[in-house]
Amino acid sequence: MSPMPRGAEDRSVCLQNLPPSWLDISQAAALPLKINRLLRQFGDLEGHPFISRSPMGVTATARFTQRLSVDAAIRALDGLDRNSDLDQFDAAREEGQFAVRDEDRLRVELFTSAAYNA
C-alpha cells in the first residue's frame, strides 16, 4: 500500500473478519462494492476500498473525507455479527445489539500504518 497523505490516516478504517458470504471467490468482484455501499452510509469516501489478502485473512481499508464519518462507522459496525445480512444493513435504523461470539464479530477500527504492517 502506498504511503498516505498527511492527515489521511486518521480518516481511514480497516475492516476485518468480513462476512463469509462476501469472501466467496464467486463474489470477489463485488467485495469492494459491498464495502463501499456499507461505509457510504456514514459519509463520503475518497476513492474505492483497498482489499488485501494474507494468511491472516482479508482486510479492507477505506478512507473517509471526514473524521466524524470514521467515528460513526466504527461505533455502528464494530462488533456486529458478521453472519447477519450486512448487505441489508441500514445505519438509519437503530437496532439492539445481541450477544455475538468473538469469532463472529465484524472488526472495524481506525487504520494505522503500524497496525497494517503488524
Side-chain angles (χ1 to χ4, degrees), residues 80-99:
L80 287 181
D81 186 346
R82 70 184 186 134
N83 296 310
S84 63
D85 190 0
L86 289 178
D87 287 320
Q88 300 301 316
F89 180 83
D90 181 356
R93 185 180 66 213
E94 194 71 31
E95 285 190 15
Q97 183 95 355
F98 296 98

Side-chain angles (χ1 to χ4, degrees), residues 2 16 35 45 54 58 68 76 80 92 101 107-108 111-112 114:
S2 60
Q16 297 174 310
I35 293 168
L45 297 175
S54 75
V58 176
L68 291 175
L80 287 181
R101 298 179 314 175
R107 288 182 35 210
V108 182
F111 174 85
T112 62

Side-chain angles (χ1 to χ4, degrees), residues 24-84:
D24 186 293
I25 195 70
S26 66
Q27 298 293 315
L31 183 58
L33 298 173
K34 288 176 180 279
I35 293 168
N36 207 339
R37 191 175 317 121
L38 181 66
L39 293 178
R40 283 197 182 274
Q41 294 183 63
F42 303 98
D44 293 331
L45 297 175
E46 289 182 7
H48 299 285
F50 176 78
I51 311 297
S52 63
R53 298 179 190 276
S54 75
M56 299 296 289
V58 176
T59 299
T61 306
R63 186 177 311 143
F64 284 99
T65 59
Q66 301 283 323
R67 173 58 196 243
L68 291 175
S69 300
V70 173
D71 297 335
I74 291 171
R75 261 192 322 276
L77 299 173
D78 188 49
L80 287 181
D81 186 346
R82 70 184 186 134
N83 296 310
S84 63

Side-chain angles (χ1 to χ4, degrees), residues 10-28:
D10 69 346
R11 292 183 282 114
S12 299
V13 291
C14 178
L15 290 85
Q16 297 174 310
N17 209 25
L18 297 166
S21 63
W22 288 15
L23 302 177
D24 186 293
I25 195 70
S26 66
Q27 298 293 315

